[in-house]
Amino acid sequence: MAFLHDIYHRQEIVRAGRLPAEMVARNDAFEPRMIGMEPPGGVYTHVVGIDLVRTGEDEFHVLEDNVRTPSGVSYMLENRETMLQMFPELFTQNRVKPVSHYPQALRRSLAACAPKGTAGEPVVAVLTPGLYNSAYYEHSFLADKMGVELVEGDDLRVVDGRLAMRTTEGYKSIDVLYRRVDDAFLDPLTFNPESRLGVPGLFDVYRAGRVTLANAPGTGIADDKAIYSYMPEIVRFYTGEAPLLRNVPTWRCSNPQELSHVLAHLDELVVKEVHGSGGYGMLIGPAASRAELAAFRAKLMANPGNYIAQPTLALSTVPVLTRAGLAPRHVDLRPYVLVSPEGVTITPGGLTRVALKAGSLVVNSSQGGGTKDTWVLED
Amino acid sequence: MTEIRRLSVRHITTYAYDAPQSWGLLRLRLTPRSHRFQRVLSWSVTLEGARRELGYEDHHRNLVDLASLEPGASTVIIRCEGEVEVTDNAGVLGSQGGFAPLWLFLRETPRTRPGPACSALVSRVMAAESETLNRLHALTRALAEGIVFAPGATDVASTGEEALAHGRGVCQDHAHAFLACARAMGVPARYVSGYLLMDRIEQEASHAWAEAWIEGLGWVGFDPANCICPDHRYIRLATGLDYGEASPVSGSRRGTGDESLSVHVEVAAQ
């Protein structure tokens, strides 16, 4: 948060020489149109989903910071729902903290970020790219559980200087838009002019301080995988303290020395695209064939700045029921964090993602991963 | 002695649509802001066939208004009128400007991407001069000669490279070619839209020029279309990486039919 405000204002961290200017200047996730903008309530990242992995007893690492539009929270809620129905006795024997209030907490947290001067109870809406988006179910689920409207770009328009949605009783103003549409498609007048998912003039309304966008555009600069390698330094710069959770050691392939290390140890490392997500475009060295390694080496050398590399972590496992009985599978954990001027709320639960293939380290649902209910117990 | 001049501006933009429009938006960067060398004494933007929705300051600190077309409008008239007092600074503006970092002004945009013509000019200028300021003056002269004023030879989507390669264009093209070359030399540069007092009062369009960042001086203006540095005849309206970010009027509409645009600008000394 402090980082994002700084990056879009004075860039003290760059002036202080703690983050190289080119890390920002050459970064596509930096959104110049956010320069000098004060988002309502000072909040940039309203919903955060941090990917954590456990690599040893009491040893956790932050694998990724997801601060654009993290998804998957509906799985957290559905998994719990299913467990409660299938194994009600477990929840009488164990004191498991509930997660079912998440939609209400999300709504409250979003409402607390409404623009200054909002009269009465802020109107919240969820913007979805539509039925054909892979996360449409989650968008409609969350809107439904929060008791707010689910809208698409075509339902919205700038009316009387505000963002407004079409209803049976005419246009109604929106104060907070929980948008599940990527930055580039938010407003064809400002960003990608070909976008049919967004609302012309939405960014103007935002820039005028008359609507809240959650999360703010341009937050990708904070979860970019190259910036990730500076995160411990970033935490120290703004808080004066060492981070509580460790980052995974990361080699930046943009640096020639680090690149040569990565090339020499390609078969041991995990290599990821800087802006990649969903487990696409990555290499898991130990699991790759010779041909795959050679092909990836060529891609890496053609555009080293596009990649980072990390050691292959011994991710923790959980038991999974397979045809052959119980078997261990690797997991990671994504807790959900809500941020508003009233504070930071960590949901007591999260999404545990499971790599369903034996030995696989890729947990992304887009790569055939599964999910599990996750418990946080009362003390 | 510092020269101060009071300029009055009348700028009328008229859009005529073939058919009544059901919906449309206009983004206006038509309000100059006061700074050290430019004092806005009075300014008004009035609309006919459209209404102002909101206003804000963008990432280049331009004052932007968003307006929507009145439903059923077939004509929109945007009328700007005002008086501005301008001080002659020989083009040197200094370090004014918001939070945008200097490296941002080195970014290529589609309209300012250098090609063979710009690259050749850059090599020539770099070889001939060693100081940044002299290079930019040489660049200004070369572009004034290299691109002949020819309205209609280019359009709003044309690139500086195209204008230089064909040797024809308008002030917008001069500015884009300047930006392409200056950035290729490693000099941060930005597009400026505004008004220019000329010998005749009536003009076909508003003006455009460029500003470059020179260590020790800050932002310095260059007008390659007129082969001079801006003085107290120039009013700055908006800046950006290229025309797209500084254009006085842009917009989108959902409606059938063609549109015709007419612009009328009067700049007079008081």
Side-chain angles (χ1 to χ4, degrees):
Chain A
M1 193 85 76
F3 171 66
L4 282 164
H5 188 273
D6 187 30
I7 282 298
Y8 289 116
H9 292 82
R10 291 184 54 78
Q11 298 204 342
E12 298 283 5
I13 192 164
V14 178
R15 287 165 201 248
R18 306 278 282 275
L19 180 69
E22 67 263 22
M23 288 309 300
V24 186
R26 298 229 184 97
N27 203 315
D28 290 340
F30 177 78
E31 177 47 70
R33 295 173 188 88
M34 286 297 291
I35 293 171
M37 162 91 194
E38 296 291 339
V43 178
Y44 286 87
T45 56
H46 307 74
V47 183
V48 183
I50 302 160
D51 290 341
L52 301 175
V53 292
R54 182 163 169 264
T55 51
E57 203 176 336
D58 292 333
E59 192 182 75
F60 286 87
H61 281 97
V62 176
L63 191 62
E64 274 177 32
D65 305 287
N66 298 293
V67 295
R68 299 176 207 210
T69 50
S71 59
V73 79
S74 59
Y75 291 101
M76 171 186 84
L77 296 166
E78 298 266 293
N79 287 344
R80 178 62 56 86
E81 192 74 14
T82 307
M83 288 296 283
L84 280 163
Q85 279 170 18
M86 308 269 290
F87 306 103
E89 68 283 1
L90 285 177
F91 294 87
T92 51
Q93 291 157 12
N94 297 286
R95 298 176 62 205
V96 180
K97 288 200 185 184
V99 290
S100 58
H101 63 280
Y102 176 81
Q104 289 321 309
L106 174 61
R107 185 187 172 162
R108 262 202 313 279
S109 188
L110 290 171
C113 299
K116 244 187 238 159
T118 299
E121 180 65 22
V123 176
V124 178
V126 178
L127 175 66
T128 175
L131 202 52
Y132 300 106
N133 184 273
S134 61
Y136 179 77
Y137 168 74
E138 178 161 301
H139 307 157
S140 72
F141 174 89
L142 285 175
D144 184 43
K145 296 280 177 189
M146 283 196 281
V148 304
E149 295 295 332
L150 177 69
V151 294
E152 295 183 31
D154 274 346
D155 304 325
L156 305 178
R157 189 176 271 197
V158 179
V159 179
D160 296 333
R162 309 271 310 270
L163 177 67
M165 60 183 157
R166 192 177 307 156
T167 72
T168 49
E169 292 135 36
Y171 278 96
K172 183 181 176 194
S173 298
I174 293 173
D175 301 302
V176 182
L177 191 64
Y178 179 36
R179 51 86 175 210
R180 296 293 295 261
V181 169
D182 291 344
D183 290 3
F185 300 100
L186 276 178
D187 174 358
L189 193 60
T190 305
F191 304 104
N192 183 351
E194 305 300 320
S195 170
R196 314 217 30 171
L197 306 176
V199 190
L202 171 58
F203 194 76
D204 301 71
V205 180
Y206 181 61
R207 189 90 206 185
R210 295 176 177 210
V211 72
T212 299
L213 291 178
N215 293 354
T219 51
I221 188 74
D223 71 6
D224 162 84
K225 291 185 180 71
I227 292 282
Y228 166 92
S229 60
Y230 288 92
M231 205 42 86
E233 188 59 26
I234 291 171
V235 171
R236 266 190 292 273
F237 183 76
Y238 296 106
T239 65
E241 289 169 28
L244 297 173
L245 281 169
R246 264 190 280 176
N247 256 24
V248 180
T250 302
W251 290 279
R252 293 184 278 267
C253 302
S254 54
N255 175 317
Q257 272 182 332
E258 298 187 32
L259 174 64
S260 64
H261 174 91
V262 171
L263 289 171
H265 298 86
L266 206 55
D267 57 344
E268 299 161 25
L269 299 172
V270 174
V271 190
K272 296 178 183 174
E273 285 184 6
V274 170
H275 297 295
S277 70
Y280 293 105
M282 66 190 281
L283 172 85
I284 297 182
S289 68
R290 275 187 149 187
E292 284 168 339
L293 283 171
F296 206 91
R297 179 182 298 270
K299 275 204 310 190
L300 179 55
M301 284 166 69
N303 187 8
N306 195 36
Y307 297 92
I308 53 118
Q310 295 171 337
T312 308
L313 298 174
L315 298 191
S316 59
T317 61
V318 295
V320 166
L321 189 61
T322 67
R323 274 169 207 263
L326 286 176
R329 290 291 184 271
H330 294 293
V331 290
D332 82 353
L333 170 65
R334 177 181 291 183
Y336 292 89
V337 182
L338 301 176
V339 183
S340 83
E342 290 170 5
V344 176
T345 317
I346 303 172
T347 310
L351 177 65
T352 294
R353 300 188 296 174
V354 190
L356 289 180
K357 265 193 279 178
S360 170
L361 294 169
V362 184
V363 297
N364 304 72
S365 62
S366 47
Q367 307 287 325
T371 64
K372 274 183 170 291
D373 188 22
T374 309
W375 294 359
V376 174
L377 300 177
E378 304 271 2
D379 287 333
Chain B
M1 201 191 100
T2 330
E3 280 208 67
I4 297 177
R5 207 158 201 176
R6 185 179 282 200
L7 305 178
S8 69
V9 177
R10 235 162 77 87
H11 177 191
I12 299 161
T13 308
T14 308
Y15 284 96
Y17 305 108
D18 284 355
Q21 299 296 302
S22 57
W23 176 90
L25 289 176
L26 293 168
R27 190 182 273 164
L28 314 176
R29 296 184 193 86
L30 283 169
T31 307
R33 59 186 309 154
S34 295
H35 58 80
R36 246 170 89 203
F37 304 106
Q38 164 174 313
R39 200 150 67 91
V40 181
L41 304 173
S42 66
W43 197 265
S44 68
V45 179
T46 50
L47 303 169
E48 228 172 89
R51 50 180 294 203
R52 182 179 182 274
E53 294 284 349
L54 52 85
Y56 62 96
E57 191 181 286
D58 74 7
H59 55 296
H60 292 292
R61 300 191 70 223
N62 298 317
L63 300 175
V64 186
D65 288 310
L66 187 72
S68 61
L69 304 193
E70 302 278 12
S74 51
T75 310
V76 171
I77 304 172
I78 307 159
R79 206 174 265 113
C80 307
E81 271 175 292
E83 280 197 339
V84 181
E85 199 177 75
V86 192
T87 308
D88 187 2
N89 54 5
V92 181
L93 286 148
S95 67
Q96 55 89 32
F99 291 113
L102 277 180
W103 51 253
L104 188 63
F105 300 98
L106 290 167
R107 280 197 176 176
E108 270 178 21
T109 66
R111 291 187 183 91
T112 61
R113 191 154 293 143
C118 286
S119 303
L121 178 54
V122 167
S123 312
R124 225 170 67 216
V125 167
M126 301 268 278
E129 302 284 350
S130 56
E131 300 289 326
T132 305
L133 185 59
N134 294 340
R135 282 177 174 170
L136 295 175
H137 281 306
L139 176 63
T140 304
R141 281 194 301 275
L143 290 173
E145 287 164 15
I147 302 176
V148 177
F149 180 69
T154 52
D155 61 31
V156 292
S158 296
T159 68
E161 171 67 22
E162 285 163 1
L164 184 58
H166 299 130
R168 292 149 64 80
V170 294
C171 58
Q172 178 185 315
D173 305 303
H174 286 95
H176 283 148
F178 182 95
L179 297 175
C181 295
R183 290 173 189 162
M185 291 185 215
V187 179
R190 65 191 182 191
Y191 185 98
V192 190
S193 72
Y195 302 108
L196 167 61
L197 172 71
M198 301 207 285
D199 296 336
R200 56 180 196 286
I201 290 174
E202 284 195 30
Q203 305 173 13
E204 300 77 28
S206 55
H207 193 46
W209 60 97
E211 287 170 1
W213 178 270
I214 300 172
E215 260 342 297
L217 289 176
W219 290 106
V220 180
F222 296 88
D223 180 1
N226 292 300
C227 199
I228 49 169
C229 282
D231 54 19
H232 53 333
R233 291 172 296 169
Y234 288 74
I235 297 172
R236 297 166 80 253
L237 208 44
T239 61
L241 289 188
D242 70 9
Y243 171 80
E245 287 194 324
S247 61
V249 184
S250 54
S252 89
R253 63 190 173 98
R254 199 175 293 153
T256 51
D258 282 338
E259 65 182 36
S260 65
L261 165 69
S262 74
V263 179
H264 175 92
V265 179
E266 290 172 25
V267 183
Q270 293 298 292

